[in-house]
Amino acid sequence: MPQEKSPEQTNSGPMSFEERVSLHMLKLNDVEDDIVDYLRLNAGGISDISINKIAKDLYICPNTVVRLARKLGYKGFSELKYSLAAQHGDREQEELKKIKRFLEPELSKHILRTVRLIDKKMLRDVLTMVYNARRVALFGMGDSQYYCELLAKYLSRVSDNIEMRFHILMDSEYSVSRLKEGDVAIFISCTGESSWITDLARLAHQKRAVIISITMDTDNTLRRIADKALVFSSEDKYFKNYNVPDLTGLMLLIRYIANTYWNSYLNTDDEIV
């Protein structure tokens, strides 16, 4: 008599993490949904993440993570991690193959990395500060000024407290001088090492404004100054002695920020997707 398959088995073998989540979706509570989102976001480095780190990051009890693993049909969290790591590796390779049909390998790499780098919890905190701030000032120079202008345009669809300041030093110093405690100052810089930008960020910090940095994912000066740091994947490239960094990740991040902001604060029944 053929042996009956368990709910965690398919004809092709053990169920994947996503298949298990789909199977038990209606049984998951809000906290468990948050854990699932966290695991998806950190799937690329899941092998190095402990239960205690997840509990600390989500402000929950470690046993809650173990209970979720068992609810999904795993023997424990270690088996869940192994399954998710294997699935992530296979999925990333498949996604990369699909994207490479349309884009250069370098662009594909930065798109995938930027998606993995987005910290949804931090982004929600940042957008709450932006929405509630008396004044939000954005600063950028060079190539970053175009992205600064675009982000300001997106954010102003919801708020009327946005002002843009780019590369005119005197005007920018004046904008910083008007900042007060609780205001938000957003600084966009690919490398995070522009002395003009970092000096303005320090001045804004003296005014006790909330400093938000948007930079590539490196250990840079602007990121260390910031209260909240949003990052994207990029790298320095040079063409005929000109620095032409890949800003595909920055564009993706700005659009993600806008979509999240609109979905959170626009008075509409239609979700932006």
Side-chain angles (χ1 to χ4, degrees):
M1 187 173 181
Q3 187 175 2
E4 185 179 351
K5 293 185 178 66
S6 70
E8 286 74 35
Q9 294 250 339
T10 65
N11 291 331
S12 58
M15 295 178 66
S16 68
F17 174 79
E18 291 298 340
E19 288 172 333
R20 291 170 188 255
V21 170
S22 296
L23 181 64
H24 298 85
M25 184 179 298
L26 298 179
K27 300 178 182 179
L28 302 182
N29 57 41
D30 290 343
V31 173
E32 290 167 339
D33 284 337
D34 289 341
I35 299 173
V36 169
D37 287 341
Y38 181 96
L39 294 173
R40 286 169 172 158
L41 179 64
N42 295 278
I46 192 65
S47 299
D48 299 322
I49 296 178
S50 67
I51 290 180
N52 288 333
K53 174 170 174 53
I54 296 174
K56 181 180 179 181
D57 290 346
L58 296 180
Y59 304 101
I60 59 175
C61 174
N63 286 339
T64 307
V65 183
V66 177
R67 284 196 296 269
L68 171 65
R70 291 175 177 168
K71 181 180 285 190
L72 294 178
Y74 295 106
K75 295 178 181 178
F77 182 63
S78 296
E79 185 180 9
L80 184 155
K81 285 206 306 183
Y82 178 81
S83 173
L84 185 56
Q87 174 187 314
H88 177 77
D90 294 341
R91 178 189 294 174
E92 184 179 63
Q93 289 302 315
E94 186 60 31
E95 289 177 349
L96 191 57
K97 288 178 183 177
K98 290 179 180 178
I99 295 175
K100 281 182 177 179
R101 299 173 188 172
F102 305 101
L103 301 173
E104 296 179 5
E106 291 80 5
L107 300 184
S108 306
K109 175 180 65 177
H110 292 310
I111 289 173
L112 293 177
R113 285 181 178 175
T114 298
V115 171
R116 292 203 304 268
L117 287 169
I118 294 175
D119 185 332
K120 293 182 180 178
K121 183 180 183 304
M122 180 182 291
L123 180 56
R124 287 196 297 266
D125 292 343
V126 167
L127 294 182
T128 299
M129 294 174 184
V130 168
Y131 185 74
N132 293 324
R134 180 184 66 94
R135 175 180 290 114
V136 180
L138 295 96
F139 302 88
M141 67 178 299
D143 290 339
S144 297
Q145 77 177 51
Y146 305 111
Y147 296 91
C148 183
E149 183 177 14
L150 182 61
L151 180 57
K153 178 181 178 181
Y154 285 156
L155 297 181
S156 63
R157 291 292 181 264
V158 178
S159 306
D160 57 3
N161 59 347
I162 307 297
E163 53 180 89
M164 295 172 290
R165 295 294 179 261
F166 302 132
H167 60 283
I168 305 174
L169 185 57
M170 183 179 299
D171 190 37
S172 295
E173 286 182 329
Y174 172 71
S175 294
V176 170
S177 71
R178 298 176 60 202
L179 294 174
K180 297 182 179 179
E181 184 173 0
D183 289 346
V184 172
I186 301 175
F187 295 87
I188 301 179
S189 171
C190 186
T191 64
E193 296 296 346
S194 164
S195 58
W196 179 82
I197 288 289
T198 55
D199 287 347
L200 286 179
R202 290 189 180 95
L203 288 174
H205 184 73
Q206 292 175 9
K207 294 290 183 177
R208 297 189 177 181
V210 177
I211 312 301
I212 309 299
S213 68
I214 299 178
T215 70
M216 53 194 269
D217 185 32
T218 58
D219 179 21
N220 58 71
T221 303
L222 180 58
R223 189 175 177 181
R224 291 193 296 270
I225 295 172
D227 298 296
K228 299 286 185 180
L230 301 175
V231 296
F232 58 92
S233 176
S234 182
E235 58 188 320
D236 283 334
K237 286 187 174 295
Y238 290 88
F239 179 75
K240 294 184 177 179
N241 296 323
Y242 285 97
N243 187 11
V244 286
D246 184 347
L247 298 180
T248 307
L250 175 56
M251 183 64 245
L252 177 63
L253 176 58
I254 286 177
R255 183 64 193 190
Y256 189 89
I257 292 172
N259 276 26
T260 304
Y261 197 58
W262 293 334
N263 286 334
S264 299
Y265 298 110
L266 273 182
N267 294 320
T268 177
D269 295 330
D270 299 322
E271 184 174 345
I272 308 299
V273 295

